[in-house]
Amino acid sequence: MSFNTKSSALLRCWGSRFWRTRRQQLCPLEGPFWSCFGGARPRPILDMSYSRHFLDFQGSSIPSSMKKLVVTKLSSNFREAVALRQDAPVPLPGDGDLLVRNRFIGINASDINYSAGRYDTSVKPPFDVGFEGIGDVVALGLSASAKYTVGQAVAYMTPGSFAEYTVVPAKQAVLLPSVKPQFLTLMVSGTTAYISLKELGELSEGKKVLVTAASGGTGQFAVQLSKKAKCHVIATCSSDEKAGFLKSIGCDHPINYKSENVGAVLKRDYPEGMDVVYESVGGKMFDLAVNSLATKGRLIVIGFISGYQNPTGLQPVKAEMLPAKLLTKSASIQGFFLNHYLSEYKMAMEHLLTMYEGGELVCKVDLGDMSPEGKFTGLESVFRAVDYMYMGKNIGKIVVELPNSVNSKL
């Protein structure tokens, strides 16, 4: 037998033993072993170094089970809809996938829409929840290893981030220089502001831009990007502390709606109206935004958080006069949903990362240090973080830190 033939036989034997071992570690349930891989037989493993792909890059074995949040009941009440599972199986990456150990996960207002089943009515519980995360690559498929390796820091926007480990398609991951929560602010919040204003805002020097909920996760970027375009930026917020933050990132005129009448202030100081409104509140704030539009003004709807906790997901608006109001001003309203603009996503992320790393962009993170029970740490604190957001307490993007369990050999 030739050397090459012997080598091939040894490798095939090693691969067979390797997969039997993985079966015992990762697929203890009854049923065919290959069901763990969706019924498809994996590619033969011929790379001896591949065994390290199933070890944590700092030497700790990847556990067979993990904690994760799961939607068990469709409801706009996040605490009723979602349960913490303590012993969910750690998923295996496919050929083109990464297994990411999450270090930080992002909280979004739309997490409630997702748990209520509003985005896809065909999906029934139980299903995973959470849109974005950042962490370390701890395992990967053979094709994915052409670009990635264990130990690298990546961020991603993929359903199922509210878990200790998440499988991420390699083509959807964003390679990062380090694991920092500031990078996570860009994944959904930053790109939403960047793409919507670029595609729909038609910003130019001197334009007046109104940003509602401006001190939140996406509002902070709408303010900064509008200023980069040399616009005059007005922003609504709910406290003097938030107003101070908005001034620090360049806002020309923050308005605390708890102490000022926003409509009266806009009418007095900007009688010709707003050229662009970046609106995410809905209800009465939406009505106010419509009334504040200038001739040929544009209202961009990126959300309506004031209604998300309602059974319908909406707050009532005064729609009966809307056609007449738009007609008499040649104004327009357009919605923006990030999933419809994914062709622009990579370009937006690259630009935002360059701006942040160059010191041109503030990525404000709220880890809950000022919340009544302290910092948001661990999946258990996701519930508190969602409550904190809907109480309007956050300044910047709400982020939950997951403790680094690499040394615990779970």
Side-chain angles (χ1 to χ4, degrees):
M1 186 182 290
S2 68
F3 174 78
N4 288 337
T5 305
K6 288 181 180 178
S7 298
S8 296
L10 285 171
L11 288 173
R12 282 195 298 272
C13 179
W14 177 88
S16 176
R17 278 197 228 145
F18 175 78
W19 286 110
R20 280 200 301 272
T21 302
R22 288 302 290 169
R23 171 180 58 189
Q24 294 167 358
Q25 293 174 341
L26 297 173
C27 303
L29 301 179
E30 294 182 1
F33 166 54
W34 302 117
S35 66
C36 295
F37 298 88
R41 192 175 182 86
R43 290 173 55 177
I45 297 175
L46 300 178
D47 179 2
M48 291 294 286
S49 68
Y50 191 63
S51 60
R52 68 187 288 271
H53 295 174
F54 288 95
L55 289 176
D56 184 276
F57 73 96
Q58 294 185 19
S60 177
S61 297
I62 296 173
S64 59
S65 63
M66 66 175 185
K67 294 180 182 179
K68 74 173 181 177
L69 297 187
V70 178
V71 175
T72 58
K73 170 186 175 183
L74 296 182
S75 173
S76 56
N77 183 323
F78 192 81
R79 287 182 178 273
E80 288 184 0
V82 178
L84 174 64
R85 289 194 173 168
Q86 302 279 353
D87 57 354
V90 173
L92 278 172
D95 182 60
D97 297 332
L98 311 174
L99 180 64
V100 177
R101 188 185 67 237
N102 293 314
R103 299 279 295 281
F104 297 96
I105 52 177
I107 304 298
N108 294 282
S110 50
D111 289 328
I112 281 184
N113 286 333
Y114 199 67
S115 69
R118 292 171 182 151
Y119 288 155
D120 186 352
T121 56
S122 67
V123 177
K124 304 301 180 186
F127 56 85
D128 297 342
V129 65
F131 294 128
E132 56 184 339
I134 181 172
D136 309 303
V137 176
V138 295
L140 68 167
L142 286 175
S143 294
S145 67
K147 182 178 179 181
Y148 292 93
T149 187
V150 292
Q152 290 180 320
V154 295
Y156 63 89
M157 183 179 68
T158 301
S161 68
F162 290 173
E164 291 180 322
Y165 293 84
T166 301
V167 167
V168 179
K171 62 183 179 180
Q172 295 179 18
V174 177
L175 187 62
L176 299 173
S178 61
V179 175
K180 292 174 60 176
Q182 285 77 13
F183 291 124
L184 186 54
T185 68
L186 304 176
M187 296 302 295
V188 173
S189 300
T191 55
T192 293
Y194 183 96
I195 299 173
S196 64
L197 290 172
K198 177 178 178 290
E199 296 294 319
L200 310 178
E202 299 181 22
L203 302 183
S204 60
E205 185 173 356
K207 292 292 180 69
K208 295 182 290 295
V209 178
L210 172 65
V211 180
T212 64
S215 62
T218 188
Q220 63 172 322
F221 295 110
V223 169
Q224 294 178 80
L225 294 171
S226 296
K227 286 303 297 179
K228 296 291 183 187
K230 300 181 179 180
C231 298
H232 181 88
V233 180
I234 306 96
T236 67
C237 62
S238 61
S239 72
D240 291 339
E241 182 184 4
K242 292 181 178 182
F245 165 68
L246 291 171
K247 285 183 178 179
S248 75
I249 59 173
C251 178
D252 298 289
H253 191 166
I255 304 172
N256 179 355
Y257 65 81
K258 292 287 184 70
S259 60
E260 300 179 83
N261 184 310
V262 178
V265 171
L266 293 178
K267 190 173 183 179
R268 179 193 70 209
D269 295 346
Y270 306 97
E272 294 183 358
M274 298 291 109
D275 299 300
V276 179
V277 180
Y278 185 86
E279 217 293 277
S280 61
V281 178
K284 293 180 180 179
M285 188 62 77
F286 172 85
D287 293 333
L288 186 152
V290 170
N291 293 335
S292 72
L293 285 171
T295 299
K296 298 183 181 180
R298 292 175 297 282
L299 197 164
I300 305 170
V301 177
I302 63 106
F304 30 91
I305 188 173
S306 65
Y308 290 168
Q309 291 179 301
N310 295 340
T312 63
L314 296 166
Q315 286 277 26
V317 297
K318 297 177 180 178
E320 63 275 3
M321 294 298 294
L322 187 57
K325 290 179 179 179
L326 297 177
L327 176 63
T328 55
K329 292 183 177 180
S330 294
S332 64
I333 299 175
Q334 189 160 349
F336 176 88
F337 188 52
L338 183 59
N339 285 2
H340 297 154
Y341 289 84
L342 294 181
S343 61
E344 305 293 320
Y345 186 83
K346 182 179 179 182
M347 173 274 299
M349 272 300 299
E350 290 175 350
H351 194 179
L352 290 169
L353 283 169
T354 299
M355 290 177 68
Y356 172 67
E357 293 178 318
E360 300 178 47
L361 196 65
V362 174
C363 297
K364 178 69 172 177
V365 171
D366 193 332
L367 285 162
D369 295 290
M370 303 305 294
S371 68
E373 297 178 51
K375 187 176 180 179
F376 302 132
T377 304
L379 288 171
E380 297 85 351
S381 69
V382 168
F383 300 97
R384 285 199 299 117
V386 170
D387 291 342
Y388 190 71
M389 170 179 286
Y390 278 90
M391 289 188 289
K393 299 296 185 182
N394 60 297
I395 299 179
K397 174 81 173 184
I398 298 180
V399 173
V400 173
E401 183 174 4
L402 301 188
N404 187 352
S405 58
V406 67
N407 294 321
S408 67
K409 299 187 183 293
L410 293 174

